[in-house]
Every structure is written in C-alpha cells, then in structure tokens.
C-alpha cells in the first residue's frame, strides 16, 4: 500500500505542477456530498487523455485504470460499509480532482409523473407539521427535466447533491423525501435520494429500447431510432400511423377523413385563440376530447415555390397537423409552441388548407396561441399571420388513446430514460420508488410495461436485488354510483399484479388519501411512509408486510357466495365506520355483469353473500374514485383488485 500511495502522490503532484486543461472526469452523478451504495462494488467510468493512467482513491482504497484510444476508462473500487465522510481523489498526468464529503450508505431512486414530482413545499400546505429537519446524513439530488431521442452519456449540466435541511428539501419530491426521512430514522445509515420525474409522463418515456421491445413496443423504439437519424422521415411515418388509427376507429374511407381540405364537418367560427372551455359554448364548457380546427390561406406562386415554416403556437394537450391533407407534424407537450417545417411542394398556388386535430385529455384544451405568434413564413421572406379566421368542429369519439410520437418529451418512448436515467451512470441502488400511471389509463398493457421497466432498471443499475415500491394510483374524479369500467382500476390492478409476482416489490396503496377534486392530492407524507414500509420490509428485512393487506384468493361459499382471503394483514381486517365492508362487486365472465356487494369481515377473510346470479370473478375498488372502508390494524387499506373465484 505504501508503494501505491507514493505513486498516487506522485501522480497528483505531477498533475498539479502541469498546466492541466483536461483533468479526468467521471460519468454519472458522483460529486461533492454524494452518497454511494454500501456493500456493493463501486463501478466508475469516465474520460481522460487517451492512453494515460488514471488513479482513483477512496476510503484508503486505490485502483488504477488506463484510458483507451477513445479516452474512456473504467475502474472498480471494492465494496464499502456504511460510513464517511470521505474524499475521492482522481488523478492522472493531465490533471486531478478531489470530490469531497462523500458518504457510503443506501441510495434510492424516485421517479414517475407529477404526483412524484410534487414538492415538499406544496405538500406542507396540507401537512404543516411535517417539516424537514437538518440532516447532514441525508443527501438529495434532483435531475433536471430533459428529453433526448438517444441515450446521453452524461448530463449537459451536472446535477449537484445537497444535504437535507429546511431549505434544500423544499423543492424536492415530497413523496421521495418523506420516504427517505422515515428510512433514516429506522436504518440509521446515510441515505441518498435521487429524484428524476416529469409531470404527465407515460411509463413508455422512462423505458430503454430493450425494455420497450420486451413489452411489445418495438415499433416505437424503431421509430424513435429513425427520428434520431432522419426526423422528416419519422414524422411522415408518425402521420401514417395516426391516420391508420383514425380510419380504423372512425370507419372513414381514405380521402374522406376530417383532415382533408374539403371535409364536410359541422364547422363553426373559433371565437378566440384561447381554451375552448372559455368560449361560452355549453357543449365545450367541461369537454375533454378531440376538436378539429381548420384555416384557409391564399398563397402566391412565388410563395408556394419553396419551403415554409408554420408556427401554430401552443396546443393543449396534443396536436396532429396537416396541410392540404398531408401530415406535417404533431406533439403532445402542451407548453411547447408548434413549429413545423413545410418542405417545398407542400404548398400550392392559390387555396391551401391547414387542419389541426387537438386532443384534450385533461382540464383546459385547444389552440392557445398566443394569436400574435401564429404565422406562416415563406422562403421568399414574406409571411401571413394565422391568429384569426379559424373554424372548429367537435370530433367523433373513438375508443382508446390516440397514438403519440415516440420522440414526445413526456408521451414518448424512451425519451426520458435517454436523458434522465441513462446519464446517471453506474451507480447502484438499494431501492426504487415509482409513482406513475395516471397518464397510462386507457392504454392496454401497463402490466407488461411496468414489469419490463423494473427488470431493465435493476439490470441497468447492476442492482438485481433492488426493492421496487409502487404507489397504487390514488382516487380522483366523480365518485362511482354504479359498477362500470375504470381505466384507473385497470392500472391499479396491473400495479398490484406486477408487485405480487415480484418478491422484491411492494405496493403503497393511496386511494384512501386521495382527493376526488384534485388529481394531485397533497397528502404525500403518508405516501412516503407507505413507500418506506416497502423498503423496510424488503431492503432491511423488518418483519412487517411490505404492502399491507393484499388479496390472496377467492373461493365459492355456501349459497353462491364468495369467501375472500387476504395476506399481509396486521392484526385483523375491519370495516371502517360500518359493520359491512363495501366496495366489492360480484361479476360473471361477460362485460356489464358486475353488481355491488357488501361483506362480513372476520379476521383475515371477507365473505360476500350470493345474490342468485352467476359469479366467476370479484372486483374491489373498481372505479376511478371508489368508496371503500376495508383496512387492518395498521390502518393500511386494501387496494384495488380483480380475482377469479375458485369453485
């Protein structure tokens, strides 16, 4: 060790004495104040001058690596127990750097959409007593929101670790913060929390190309790869996919679709380039769905001769745009102005028709402008304003969700993985917390996508034993008054089934702490506690049920009834506020056969009496905003499920 130490000193001295301009640089997010996963090998990679030897020292251990001709190097330090703080030194002839105040403990990654993104500041409006204390042994790292069509090797601007205190925690993910805060109290080791979320994102945006292929989304992965090589060709292909989807659902003959220049729809003048809910049109006051917009322009022969740029302003939520019946682009990022390049030949002398399909899936929608920014500019330098004289028509309702282009920031396929997960580098993890699914309601196959993401992230971070905590979607929307299909119910049940099949995963049920009027319920402190429970059981081996009470099976009972058995119950099950457990549905195999049922609770079972009709399956909490009252002595509720009845 003395020889190695002297060599290290010699390298550092040489680096400091030379006019170094390119000191070795590490990939990922290892920087001052970072936390490294304990009891796991520490894999490091980075850039240095081609062919030079790089020496890395941490906690009394030193390793060397030689950079290849491409300047890349890789090294591995041995696993370390929890401890620190340490300094990490990286040195070579070209320069040296010291990373200070490094801790070794447990590292958690928190990801998902807006309910994971909701900050501590917002959560404290509802839970003012849940203040973050100063804790130098808990470190936080937030990843900036960026998308990319191909995996990035590193972040453009390196994120910075900070110690948790009353200031730094305010902008951090509330669910993630309260989870790791609880784990600090019980695990008593340094904790690092990495937050990488984006509101409104679909799960597909967080999946790598291999994960997409594993979940039957290989076409999306291929189209994104095409976009990285040839955006124009990818846009043409995307328009074809959308158009095929529309014709299949609407039954329109080719050439008779609403995006054609002479489409015979019930056109009406657009009052203003604002959200259509504000127009004073009764049928649009609370409308969520598709609207067609159309505008005609006159173009001279000189203007039509070359390419042009079409600026449509913002469209909420998603658009698909055509000029003279030819697709020119589309996006689903509501805050982004639509700017589409029109190749030469798109326009013609005389009358030209611009058609926009707006797909509004939540809250306000429409072409929002601002009107003064909407314009078409021609190659000869002339332009025409487009902020007025539009007409609209309400679109036919089609089943399912409209296709989104895979390069969309949040509705894409791989875009957020490429820019917000891949650059994290080779760090290892104790666990992952996932709060997402609202944007996947109505899209079949969530179970395949979630299972593929879990397997891929564990592999990607070389953490096959990493725990995975999934927040089952909360309640939102008008409370149900009759059994019906539920997109939120389907996603919740998919989350349950994936976690039940994975011995290192668990569910944090959140329906009982939801808000029927707000898709972003503020009670994130309890969400964090329930996620921490998953980690306490799975990572730290505490003798507690990671998910609380969970359905174990259903069997026929006397008189045509059903007995439901539950695992993971603390103490016994109870029907809150009643002598009957509600929220159950007895169903036959056919759609539309479900009917409400209430049951009697005894220990870890619930018995539903028969009603004289066939029963092949039982559903529970099967609504966007269900009424439920079944929980155990730990005050943990039973989550959504559907199970077959064994006879």
């Amino acid at each position: 060790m003395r020889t190695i130490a002297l060599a290290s000193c010699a390298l550092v001295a040489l680096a400091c004495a030379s006019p170094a301009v390119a000191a070795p640089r590490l990939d990922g997010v290892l920087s001052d104040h970072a936390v490294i996963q304990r009891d796991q090998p520490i894999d490091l990679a980075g850039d240095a001058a081609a062919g030079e030897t790089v020496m890395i020292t941490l906690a009394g251990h030193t390793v060397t690596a030689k950079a290849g001709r491409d300047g890349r190097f890789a090294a591995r330090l041995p696993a370390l127990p929890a401890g620190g703080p340490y300094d990490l030194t990286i040195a070579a002839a070209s320069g040296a750097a010291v990373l200070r105040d490094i801790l070794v403990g447990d590292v958690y990654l928190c990801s998902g959409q807006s309910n994971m993104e909701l900050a501590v500041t917002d959560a404290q409006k509802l839970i003012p007593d849940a203040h973050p204390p100063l804790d130098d042994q808990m470190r936080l790292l937030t990843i900036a929101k960026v998308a990319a069509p191909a995996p990035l090797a590193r972040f453009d601007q390196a994120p910075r670790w900070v110690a948790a205190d009353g200031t730094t925690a305010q902008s951090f993910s509330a669910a993630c913060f309260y989870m790791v805060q609880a784990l600090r109290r019980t695990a008593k080791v340094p904790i690092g929390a990495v937050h990488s979320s984006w509101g409104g994102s679909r799960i597909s945006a967080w999946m790598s190309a291999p994960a997409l292929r594993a979940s039957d989304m290989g076409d999306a992965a291929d189209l994104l790869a095409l976009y990285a090589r040839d955006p124009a060709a990818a846009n043409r292909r995307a328009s074809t996919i959308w158009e095929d989807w529309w014709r299949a659902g609407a039954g329109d003959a080719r050439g008779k679709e609403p995006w054609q220049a002479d489409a015979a729809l019930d056109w009406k003048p657009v009052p203003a380039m604002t959200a259509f809910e504000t127009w004073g049109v009764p049928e649009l006051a609370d409308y969520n769905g598709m609207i067609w917009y159309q505008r005609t322009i006159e173009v001279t022969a000189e203007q039509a001769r070359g390419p042009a740029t079409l600026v449509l302003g913002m469209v909420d939520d998603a658009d698909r745009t055509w000029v003279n019946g030819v697709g020119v682009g589309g996006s689903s990022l509501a805050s982004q102005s639509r700017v589409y390049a029109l190749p030469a030949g798109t326009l013609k002398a005389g009358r030209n028709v611009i058609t926009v399909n707006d797909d509004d899936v939540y809250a306000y929608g429409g072409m929002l402008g601002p009107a003064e920014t909407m314009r078409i500019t021609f190659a000869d330098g002339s332009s025409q304003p487009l902020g007025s004289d539009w007409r609209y028509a309400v679109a036919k309702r089609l089943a399912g969700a409209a296709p989104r282009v895979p390069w969309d920031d949040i509705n894409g396929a791989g875009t957020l993985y490429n820019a917000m997960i891949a650059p994290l580098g080779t760090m290892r993890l104790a666990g992952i917390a996932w709060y997402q699914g609202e944007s996947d309601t109505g899209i079949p196959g969530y179970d395949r996508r979630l299972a593929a993401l879990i397997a891929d992230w564990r592999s990607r971070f070389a953490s096959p034993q990493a725990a995975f905590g999934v927040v089952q979607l909360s309640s939102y929307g008008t409370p149900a008054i009759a059994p019906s299909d539920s997109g939120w119910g389907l996603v919740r049940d998919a989350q349950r089934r994936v976690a039940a099949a994975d011995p290192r995963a668990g569910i944090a049920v959140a329906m009982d702490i939801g808000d029927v009027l707000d898709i972003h319920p503020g009670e994130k402190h309890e969400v964090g506690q329930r996620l921490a429970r998953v980690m306490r059981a799975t990572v730290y081996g505490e003798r507690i049920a990671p998910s609380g009470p969970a359905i174990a099976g259903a069997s026929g009972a006397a008189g045509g009834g059903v007995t439901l058995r539950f695992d993971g119950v603390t103490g016994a099950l109870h029907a809150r506020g009643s002598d009957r457990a509600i929220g159950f549905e007895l169903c036959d195999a056919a759609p539309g056969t479900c009917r409400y049922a209430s049951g009697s609770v005894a220990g870890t079972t619930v018995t539903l009496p028969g009603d004289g009709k066939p029963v092949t399956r039982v559903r529970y909490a099967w609504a966007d905003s269900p009424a439920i009252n079944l929980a155990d002595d730990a005050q943990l509720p039973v989550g959504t499920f559907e199970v077959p009845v064994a006879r």
Side-chain angles (χ1 to χ4, degrees):
M1 284 299 294
R2 178 175 171 80
T3 302
I4 294 177
L6 289 174
S8 177
C9 291
L11 273 174
V12 172
L14 177 60
C16 294
S18 62
V21 294
R25 180 172 61 166
L26 291 171
D27 295 343
V29 291
L30 189 54
S31 63
D32 292 348
H33 317 302
V35 180
I36 296 173
Q37 180 59 42
R38 62 172 168 157
D39 303 327
Q40 295 290 328
I42 303 167
D43 292 315
L44 304 169
D47 296 313
E52 73 175 350
T53 297
V54 179
M55 184 169 287
I56 303 169
T57 300
L58 174 67
H61 298 277
T62 298
V63 294
T64 60
K66 187 174 182 179
R69 286 189 290 182
D70 60 355
R72 296 291 297 166
F73 69 88
R76 171 174 283 189
L77 283 162
L80 296 173
Y86 303 113
D87 288 348
L88 183 148
T89 301
I90 177 170
S94 61
V98 179
L99 307 182
R100 302 192 183 281
D101 190 30
I102 305 294
L103 297 177
V104 179
D106 289 333
V107 182
Y108 291 88
L109 172 62
C110 301
S111 187
Q113 56 183 107
S114 54
N115 271 305
M116 182 61 85
E117 190 178 351
L118 188 80
V120 169
T121 298
D122 297 313
Q124 284 180 338
K125 294 174 182 176
L126 292 183
I127 44 173
D129 60 326
H131 287 291
L134 175 65
D135 188 347
D136 184 66
Q137 295 287 294
M138 187 163 73
R139 307 290 173 82
L140 312 175
L141 181 75
T142 297
I143 306 302
K145 293 190 282 188
V146 184
L152 301 181
R154 57 168 45 94
F155 297 105
D156 286 341
Q157 293 187 343
R160 299 298 180 188
W161 289 88
V162 295
D165 62 31
T167 299
T168 59
Q170 295 302 314
S171 59
F172 196 72
S173 160
C176 188
F177 177 83
Y178 293 126
M179 178 187 77
V180 295
Q181 183 187 55
L183 294 177
R184 269 285 296 142
R185 295 191 184 110
T186 57
K188 302 188 185 307
V189 297
I191 298 283
V194 180
H195 170 230
S196 182
S197 295
W198 195 327
S201 56
R202 292 182 180 177
I203 190 173
S204 57
W206 296 100
M207 299 169 67
S208 69
L212 291 167
R213 298 186 194 286
S215 60
D216 301 325
M217 294 190 67
D219 289 346
D222 292 341
L223 188 55
L224 183 65
L226 175 61
Y227 180 80
R229 301 190 308 269
D230 187 345
N235 264 304
R236 291 192 297 270
R237 175 63 182 147
S239 287
T240 298
I241 292 170
W242 199 101
E243 292 166 3
D244 289 345
W245 170 82
W246 176 271
R247 281 189 289 265
D252 291 342
R254 192 175 295 272
K256 301 295 183 181
E257 309 95 338
W259 58 84
Q260 301 297 336
D262 297 314
L265 303 180
D266 184 17
W267 296 110
K268 298 175 183 177
V270 170
M273 304 313 295
T274 57
F276 51 70
E277 291 88 349
T278 66
W279 290 350
V281 178
E283 68 173 323
L284 298 179
D286 296 306
Y287 180 75
N288 285 316
M290 288 182 171
I291 296 283
W292 293 99
Y293 289 80
Q294 195 175 85
R295 193 189 193 284
T296 299
I297 60 173
E298 293 293 326
V299 175
T300 67
E302 179 63 25
Q303 290 170 330
R305 190 167 293 121
T309 300
L310 178 65
V311 180
L312 296 175
M314 294 181 291
V315 182
D316 192 339
D317 293 292
D319 79 292
R320 176 57 46 189
T321 299
W322 297 261
V323 174
N324 297 327
V326 176
V328 297
S331 173
S332 63
L333 190 60
S335 61
Q336 184 181 77
S337 179
R338 273 44 170 190
V339 180
Y340 299 129
L342 309 184
T346 304
L347 300 170
K348 59 186 179 181
R351 177 175 178 261
N352 291 260
V353 178
I354 304 168
T355 305
V356 178
N357 175 280
D358 168 44
D359 186 10
D360 173 40
V361 298
Y362 170 71
Y364 286 127
M367 295 183 68
L368 308 182
E372 59 270 18
T373 67
M374 301 171 64
R375 181 171 295 272
I376 184 168
T377 302
F378 306 100
D380 66 358
S382 63
S383 66
Q384 289 187 32
L386 298 176
S388 60
D389 300 322
W390 289 82
R391 56 182 186 168
Y392 79 94
V394 177
K396 183 186 301 184
R397 285 196 179 272
L398 272 59
R404 297 286 192 261
V405 294
W407 53 88
D408 264 3
D409 288 7
I410 58 176
N411 291 310
T415 45
L416 303 187
Y417 170 86
N418 291 339
M420 298 176 67
I421 298 297
L424 290 173
T426 53
M427 71 176 187
R428 296 178 187 243
L429 302 170
I432 300 167
W434 179 253
Y435 196 163
Q436 190 277 339
E438 297 92 337
S439 292
D440 280 71
T441 56
I443 306 175
Y446 189 80
D447 53 346
R448 296 192 302 274
R449 296 191 294 279
L450 179 58
L453 179 141
I454 293 173
D456 184 70
W457 282 19
R458 283 175 173 156
S459 174
R460 185 251 176 277
F461 291 111
S463 303
Q465 296 301 307
F468 205 99
V470 180
V471 181
Q472 196 181 50
L473 292 188
S474 188
S475 298
Y476 170 68
T478 303
I481 58 174
S484 64
D485 292 333
S486 168
W488 286 52
L490 283 166
V491 171
R492 288 193 203 105
D493 192 50
Q495 293 170 325
R496 176 194 67 84
R497 288 185 284 105
V498 170
D502 186 332
R504 302 288 295 174
I507 287 288
V509 177
M511 284 184 298
D512 61 324
I513 48 177
D515 188 334
V516 299
L517 301 177
D518 192 343
I519 200 170
H520 304 120
E523 177 46 87
K524 293 296 187 286
H525 185 263
E526 181 62 22
V527 172
Q529 301 301 305
R530 294 178 185 179
L531 283 170
R533 186 183 181 93
V534 175
M535 305 305 171
R536 287 164 55 202
T538 309
V539 177
Y540 303 104
E542 290 190 37
R543 298 179 65 83
I544 56 175
S547 304
I551 186 66
S555 57
V562 177
T563 297
L564 302 167
R565 306 180 311 280
F566 292 85
D567 288 334
V569 178
T570 299
L573 292 171
H574 305 280
R576 290 171 169 171
S578 174
D579 61 353
R580 307 290 291 175
I582 63 171
F584 296 94
E585 298 175 19
L586 300 174
C587 310
D588 198 5
T593 59
C594 295
R595 57 272 184 197
Y596 285 139
S598 58
S600 58
V601 184
T604 61
T605 66
V606 174
T607 300
L608 307 175
D611 60 0
K613 299 178 182 179
V615 181
T616 61
R617 56 196 171 100
V618 173
R619 302 195 309 198
Y620 177 73
W622 203 268
D624 294 1
S625 186
I628 57 173
N629 69 340
L630 188 62
D632 67 3
D633 286 339
Q635 300 304 308
L636 294 173
V638 175
T640 294
F641 65 80
E642 180 181 68
V643 291
V645 177
R647 294 290 181 180

